[in-house]
Amino acid sequence: MDPHDCCRAAGRRDGRSQRSPRKRHILAGAGWAIALVLVMVGCGNEEPSANQANLLDSSPVVDLSSDEDPNEQATDAGGGEQEEGSEADSSDRGGSGGDGDGNDRDDAGSESATASDDETEPGAAEEPEAGDESAQEEQLRLNHLQVIGSHNSYHLRPREEIFSALVALAPDLATSIEYSHVSLTEQLETYGVRQFEIDVFADPDGGRWANYAAHPLVNLEAPSGEPLLDEPGFKVLHTQDFDYATNCLTLVICLTEIRDYSDANPNHLPIMVMIEIKDESIADAAGGEGLDISVFDVEWSEPTETTAEVLEDLDEEIRSVFEADQLITPDDVRGDAETLEASVLAGGWPTVAESRGRVLFTMTNGGTIRERYLDGAPNIEGRPIFTSSAPGSPDAAFVRFDDPTSAELNAVAESGYLIRTRTDSPTADARNNDTTRRDIAMASGAHYLSTDYYAPSEFFDSPYVVDFANGAIARCNPITAPASCNEADLTE
């Protein structure tokens, strides 16, 4: 879940805007609680509309209805609830739902999505004869699959002292982060998760995140006591100083778990790892809301700016864990095409057979971070991470539609782009066992279905879960897979 959700969740308490005078009064009188709320980094200046508030995410998003450069926008749109009467076929799958938090505006629009109609269709090679299983797998490509992923895959519910305080003073905020994940290894082995989301904070010198500034506000010691936090390298957590509990403290530890699983299971279907780089300070987040936190005697942890050097360090950490032949990179997909997007639109994703045992990295960030990552490499030449971009850009290959009800999603999928979507809103769908959004997502052309509920919640009583029938790890994408796709070929 992303901090935007948390801030807005707190702001929706009792139906009031987070900026209302009464809300300000409540927070001001809550002592340390205002600091805890503000720690939910990334509260933006824009108020969400009623139909967007439950699916917001901090990552930059794109609105292609505007004439502006879509990769420079950060507007939330299209995050609405599914209208009554919408149906999705879920007869081929068991389970009852999934959950996550945060939603960005879809990264694509219908005009760009249909612009490739005259291009070669993805997977347009001649289909093999029925019964030739090896030939069928050679024809099936990465964008013909649909798998289940986990959202904020490392996240653990905040420790009891902090969580209890939130329940008392900002219950909506508390419930929105009341989820925990098992280890990445267990997600891979037991639940068949094949897409992860990992939030990282740069720490080039070490020690930047070794103290939890919010702890003294609830009578806890600030020092973490974690030696690994004193070492240089990217740290994995949701929000500094407050919502920091994680099942893998560093990016290298997280990736090593994935690599070790991959080494032990070389025939696994490709794994996608989506990374979000976080660098907003507590003060900036508060200032964006017009709130002054200087009245609190707290020395908040200050993030490192995401410079070109930081992005190079990120690439290096990935390559320190994975060998080149274990990765699916933008260069692999682009091949001899003029642009990465041109290859994607021409069916350039590797086949399932070529992808087994390999890992694909994507980045959620847009704006300045994306621009810096593409500086001197407009097609992501020589770099291991696919950017999150809008159709029409040279680097466009991976597109995020966190709202599965978006009218453009299926057209973009049919064009050849890889798509990640969300099956649910911040714990609300799971608590209510509302499978509407989940079923729409599963019937869509999205390739990665992200949830916090590949297993039922341990924190509330609900059967809500996101899974495929018979425990399948993957299935034929309901929109993009060719008629010859046989799910028996998608086992491990």
Side-chain angles (χ1 to χ4, degrees), residues 396-478:
F398 168 64
V399 183
R400 294 171 58 216
F401 280 92
D402 285 349
D403 178 13
T405 70
S406 172
E408 295 89 8
L409 190 157
N410 287 345
V412 173
E414 289 180 306
S415 296
Y417 305 94
L418 284 184
I419 293 173
R420 176 262 199 184
T421 196
R422 296 290 304 282
T423 56
D424 31 66
S425 57
T427 81
D429 293 319
R431 290 176 191 277
N432 298 323
N433 194 26
D434 183 352
T435 65
T436 303
R437 185 175 287 111
R438 180 207 68 183
D439 294 343
I440 293 168
M442 298 186 93
S444 78
H447 307 89
Y448 304 104
L449 308 178
S450 181
T451 182
D452 292 313
Y453 298 98
Y454 43 80
S457 174
E458 63 182 290
F459 301 114
F460 49 83
D461 184 17
S462 172
Y464 193 86
V465 70
V466 178
D467 59 8
F468 293 142
N470 302 315
I473 291 174
R475 66 177 188 171
C476 301
N477 187 293

Side-chain angles (χ1 to χ4, degrees), residues 7-23:
C7 297
R8 283 157 175 153
R12 291 196 305 275
R13 187 182 182 186
D14 296 331
R16 288 185 289 272
S17 163
Q18 66 194 52
R19 298 181 180 180
S20 70
R22 177 165 174 77
K23 184 62 180 179

Side-chain angles (χ1 to χ4, degrees), residues 97-115:
D99 178 79
D101 65 334
N103 174 44
D104 335 21
R105 157 64 180 143
D106 309 334
D107 288 349
S110 57
E111 182 176 352
S112 295
T114 57

Side-chain angles (χ1 to χ4, degrees), residues 266-471:
N267 197 49
H268 70 77
L269 291 167
I271 299 166
M272 193 267 268
V273 180
M274 190 171 73
I275 292 178
E276 179 173 358
I277 307 164
K278 293 190 170 183
D279 63 1
E280 187 172 20
S281 71
I282 302 300
D284 286 345
E289 293 301 296
L291 299 174
D292 181 10
I293 61 172
S294 63
V295 296
F296 297 100
D297 186 21
V298 176
E299 186 175 347
W300 302 106
S301 303
E302 287 293 319
T304 298
E305 180 186 1
T306 307
T307 62
E309 291 74 20
V310 166
L311 293 171
E312 290 172 2
D313 290 344
L314 179 60
D315 285 356
E316 182 57 34
E317 286 208 5
I318 291 171
R319 289 175 171 144
S320 74
V321 177
F322 292 98
E323 299 293 337
D325 62 358
Q326 293 178 296
L327 298 175
I328 298 172
T329 68
D331 283 341
D332 294 334
V333 175
R334 182 169 58 89
D336 296 327
E338 182 176 355
T339 67
L340 176 59
E341 181 182 52
S343 177
V344 165
L345 296 177
W349 291 107
T351 65
V352 171
E354 294 168 337
S355 301
R356 287 184 179 272
R358 299 171 74 185
V359 178
L360 170 84
F361 282 87
T362 63
M363 179 189 300
T364 71
N365 302 86
T368 301
I369 293 177
R370 171 182 169 274
E371 291 169 4
R372 286 176 180 164
Y373 199 74
L374 295 175
D375 187 25
N379 292 289
I380 332 180
E381 295 93 338
R383 312 208 74 155
I385 308 176
F386 290 83
T387 51
S388 177
S389 190
S393 302
D395 60 311
F398 168 64
V399 183
R400 294 171 58 216
F401 280 92
D402 285 349
D403 178 13
T405 70
S406 172
E408 295 89 8
L409 190 157
N410 287 345
V412 173
E414 289 180 306
S415 296
Y417 305 94
L418 284 184
I419 293 173
R420 176 262 199 184
T421 196
R422 296 290 304 282
T423 56
D424 31 66
S425 57
T427 81
D429 293 319
R431 290 176 191 277
N432 298 323
N433 194 26
D434 183 352
T435 65
T436 303
R437 185 175 287 111
R438 180 207 68 183
D439 294 343
I440 293 168
M442 298 186 93
S444 78
H447 307 89
Y448 304 104
L449 308 178
S450 181
T451 182
D452 292 313
Y453 298 98
Y454 43 80
S457 174
E458 63 182 290
F459 301 114
F460 49 83
D461 184 17
S462 172
Y464 193 86
V465 70
V466 178
D467 59 8
F468 293 142
N470 302 315

Side-chain angles (χ1 to χ4, degrees), residues 41 58 90 105 131 133 147 157 192 214 237 242 245 309 405 407 464 468:
V41 180
S58 70
S90 59
R105 157 64 180 143
E133 294 183 2
V147 300
R157 193 183 80 158
L237 60 150
F242 170 68
E309 291 74 20
T405 70
Y464 193 86
F468 293 142

